[in-house]
Amino acid sequence: MNEVTFDNLKQMVITNCMLRVSPDEIKEEVPLFGPDSLGLDSIDALQMTVAIERDYGIAIKDPETARQAYQSLKSLREWLTAELEKTPKAT
């Protein structure tokens, strides 16, 4: 999977974090954690980290990177897109 779309990330969150919401209910800038968020917890963060590595081949290696990337789906998409641009393409 090369392109990072908002729809793909919404589906990833719903599937891996077992959210009982429709994709239409998830807005791009809603926080993933904390007050007024989607209500994810540390187990969800671990599941998302595993899914990102599996689907995109990118590991989140340190807590500060995870904190920045997991602010919202918008920040996650921006981080993933930047990381994919750094990754050499296979020919």
Side-chain angles (χ1 to χ4, degrees):
M1 185 179 295
N2 289 328
E3 185 180 356
V4 182
T5 67
F6 184 51
D7 288 335
N8 288 344
L9 292 179
K10 285 196 291 188
Q11 196 57 51
M12 181 185 289
V13 168
I14 290 170
T15 302
N16 290 284
C17 301
M18 295 180 260
L19 292 181
R20 291 196 165 114
V21 298
S22 75
D24 295 336
E25 294 177 66
I26 300 175
K27 303 301 176 206
E28 195 169 9
E29 297 200 24
V30 170
L32 299 178
F33 300 90
D36 300 319
S37 70
L38 287 178
L40 302 187
D41 61 22
S42 59
I43 301 296
D44 296 321
L46 178 61
Q47 290 175 294
M48 287 294 294
T49 299
V50 170
I52 288 166
E53 191 163 357
R54 179 193 64 225
D55 293 351
Y56 294 98
I58 296 174
I60 298 177
K61 297 181 182 195
D62 65 87
E64 185 55 34
T65 299
R67 240 185 313 280
Q68 290 176 3
Y70 288 148
Q71 289 179 24
S72 66
L73 288 184
K74 179 181 179 184
S75 63
L76 181 58
R77 184 175 67 187
E78 289 169 353
W79 180 81
L80 274 170
T81 299
E83 290 299 306
L84 286 170
E85 288 174 359
K86 294 179 195 175
T87 305
K89 306 271 190 250
T91 55

